[in-house]
């Protein structure tokens, strides 16, 4: 990658460069009748230019909601998101339209995210029409360039989405996200709907694009092995809460939080001679409408103590660059 996260200090205020994206105490609640569903409940994260931050957790933990709130597809309940030092939640619709050129989203489902009635030229060229940038021959040429950039043939420009495979459709979605030359892209589980044989191709494409274009990613996924491969740092979420953050190697080789340990124990090892002790969590994920008191993970944690039900664990730097929220380390 063009920028190595390990070359920077992400743990103090004395960083070599200001973060491209700063997320401060971000909360996103949904009203469900007279109750509130706490999808994201206090997210704090700095994302630096040129890096990839992986965001992992079980289905329903709030990671996709967090990604969409960060780029303001959802309005936040509380908190701030600073892009290049400016809080985008304070922007008018006109100001936000300019920012959206630099903040884009790659959707999870390559079948549902492409309009079946539009040609590939219309789909990839739609951002140009919305922002009034390119028209006619210039727009067509740029769409052809984007198709080549993501590994597709420019002569397919007049085809419709149903004429492509799932992997090809996701490449089209990536081309659309790149159309306006963004700086920051939220990848919302971009490989989960693809065949395993295609997943590595798409991830390698994202890595190549990052290297060539200087992109910054928030990579949302539940496959820890793939997240480790693409990410500089990994943030683990559980029931809308941050539980652990570290460099990808440190988090996967020495996980601190019991939840992270359980996730990593479930990752298959492609070597039959190596055995890993599986940590099986008991019980179901609690409802985000009525989360447990204290530590939200305590009802499934094999190390739960009395204090876990009484107080929410503090977010602390346990090792240099390695943060965790767990009473075991207090």
């Amino acid at each position: 990658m063009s920028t190595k996260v390990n070359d920077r200090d992400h743990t103090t205020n004395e960083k070599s460069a200001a973060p491209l994206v700063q997320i401060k105490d971000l909360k996103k609640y949904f009203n469900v009748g007279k109750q509130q569903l706490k999808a994201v409940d206090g997210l704090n994260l700095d994302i630096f230019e040129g890096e990839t931050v992986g965001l992992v957790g079980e289905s329903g933990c709030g990671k996709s909601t967090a990604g969409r709130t960060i780029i303001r597809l959802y309005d936040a309940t509380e908190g701030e998101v600073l892009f290049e030092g400016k809080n985008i939640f304070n922007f008018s619709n006109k100001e936000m339209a300019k920012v959206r050129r630099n903040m884009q989203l790659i959707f999870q489902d390559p079948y549902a995210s492409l309009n079946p009635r539009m040609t590939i030229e219309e789909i990839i060229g739609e951002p140009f029409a919305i922002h009034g940038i390119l028209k006619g021959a210039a727009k067509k040429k740029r769409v052809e360039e984007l198709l080549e950039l993501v590994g597709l043939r420019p002569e397919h420009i007049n085809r419709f989405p149903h004429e492509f495979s799932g992997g090809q459709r996701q490449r089209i979605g990536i081309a659309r996200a790149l159309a306006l030359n963004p700086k920051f892209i939220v990848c919302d589980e971009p490989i989960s709907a693809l065949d395993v044989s295609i997943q590595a191709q798409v991830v390698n494409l994202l890595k190549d694009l990052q290297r060539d274009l200087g992109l910054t990613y928030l990579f949302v996924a539940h496959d820890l092995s793939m997240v480790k491969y693409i990410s500089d740092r990994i943030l683990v979420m559980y029931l809308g809460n941050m539980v652990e953050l570290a460099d990808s190697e440190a988090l996967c080789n020495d996980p601190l939080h019991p939840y992270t340990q359980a996730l990593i124990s479930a990752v298959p090892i492609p070597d039959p001679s190596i055995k890993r002790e599986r940590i099986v969590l008991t019980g179901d994920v609690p409802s985000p409408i009525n989360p447990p008191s204290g530590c939200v993970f305590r009802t499934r944690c094999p190390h739960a103590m009395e204090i876990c039900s009484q107080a929410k664990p503090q977010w602390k730097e346990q090792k240099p660059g390695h943060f965790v929220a767990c009473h075991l380390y207090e």
Side-chain angles (χ1 to χ4, degrees):
M1 295 183 184
S2 59
T3 306
K4 298 292 185 182
V5 67
N6 291 333
D7 293 339
R8 296 193 180 103
D9 177 7
H10 295 281
T11 64
T12 71
N13 292 325
E14 297 178 0
K15 299 181 175 69
S16 58
L20 179 67
V21 181
Q22 291 177 278
I23 303 150
K24 298 182 178 182
D25 198 27
L26 184 66
K27 297 180 181 180
K28 177 57 183 176
Y29 300 164
F30 294 96
N31 292 324
V32 181
K34 296 181 179 180
Q35 297 176 303
Q36 285 189 320
L37 188 153
K38 298 180 178 181
V40 180
D41 196 18
L43 178 61
N44 291 277
L45 180 66
D46 289 347
I47 304 175
F48 289 80
E49 189 170 355
E51 78 165 330
T52 298
V53 175
L55 181 57
V56 300
E58 293 172 292
S59 296
C61 74
K63 54 188 186 295
S64 290
T65 300
R68 293 179 179 222
T69 307
I70 288 168
I71 61 172
R72 206 177 152 182
L73 285 186
Y74 296 152
D75 289 328
T77 303
E78 290 183 25
E80 298 179 344
V81 171
L82 276 63
F83 181 77
E84 296 184 324
K86 297 180 180 179
N87 185 7
I88 64 172
F89 294 148
N90 292 333
F91 286 179
S92 65
N93 290 338
K94 184 176 181 180
E95 292 172 320
M96 195 61 209
K98 295 179 180 179
V99 175
R100 291 204 184 281
R101 297 186 186 185
N102 284 314
M103 304 178 76
Q104 291 293 315
L105 176 69
I106 298 172
F107 293 92
Q108 175 180 354
D109 189 347
Y111 294 87
S113 62
L114 303 181
N115 189 328
R117 294 182 175 85
M118 296 173 69
T119 66
I120 302 310
E121 180 180 2
E122 291 171 331
I123 290 171
I124 300 177
E126 190 173 24
F128 303 131
I130 292 172
H131 291 272
I133 298 175
L134 296 175
K135 296 181 180 180
K139 183 180 75 171
K140 182 177 181 180
K141 181 181 178 181
R142 178 56 181 158
V143 171
E144 290 174 342
E145 292 173 350
L146 287 166
L147 283 172
E148 288 188 292
L149 189 63
V150 298
L152 295 175
R153 300 174 66 177
E155 54 263 36
H156 293 163
I157 194 170
N158 292 318
R159 291 187 177 183
F160 289 87
H162 73 270
E163 299 178 76
F164 295 88
S165 67
Q168 290 173 324
R169 290 185 189 205
Q170 195 59 293
R171 289 174 184 265
I172 294 166
I174 293 170
R176 177 176 59 188
L178 294 174
L180 300 174
N181 297 316
K183 295 181 180 180
F184 176 61
I185 298 179
V186 173
C187 307
D188 184 13
E189 300 200 44
I191 59 173
S192 64
L194 305 178
D195 293 340
V196 174
S197 59
I198 304 299
Q199 290 180 358
Q201 295 178 21
V202 173
V203 168
N204 284 328
L205 171 63
L206 291 172
K207 286 173 69 74
D208 291 342
L209 292 170
Q210 183 176 50
R211 179 197 63 215
D212 297 339
L213 304 177
L215 299 171
T216 303
Y217 294 142
L218 177 67
F219 190 86
V220 179
H222 58 262
D223 184 343
L224 257 174
S225 58
M226 198 63 76
V227 171
K228 178 184 176 183
Y229 174 67
I230 193 174
S231 302
D232 296 295
R233 291 183 296 151
I234 299 175
L235 173 64
V236 182
M237 286 183 65
Y238 181 81
L239 211 63
N241 288 259
M242 303 164 58
V243 298
E244 190 165 358
L245 170 67
D247 288 349
S248 59
E249 289 291 335
L251 186 132
C252 293
N253 295 333
D254 185 24
L256 299 180
H257 198 281
Y259 178 60
T260 310
Q261 294 168 359
L263 289 179
I264 292 175
S265 77
V267 177
I269 301 176
D271 186 343
S273 65
I274 300 176
K275 293 185 178 179
R276 173 185 285 161
E277 183 179 353
R278 178 72 190 275
I279 301 173
V280 179
L281 299 177
T282 59
D284 297 325
V285 179
S287 169
I289 296 177
N290 186 26
S293 61
C295 174
V296 292
F297 183 61
R298 67 174 175 81
T299 57
R300 304 176 71 198
C301 180
H303 307 289
M305 303 174 288
E306 184 177 353
I307 190 175
C308 298
S309 64
Q310 299 172 352
K312 188 173 183 177
Q314 298 298 310
W315 183 253
K316 291 187 176 181
E317 184 177 14
Q318 185 63 23
K319 300 179 181 180
H322 198 147
F323 297 80
V324 66
C326 181
H327 288 299
L328 291 173
Y329 303 98
E330 293 181 356

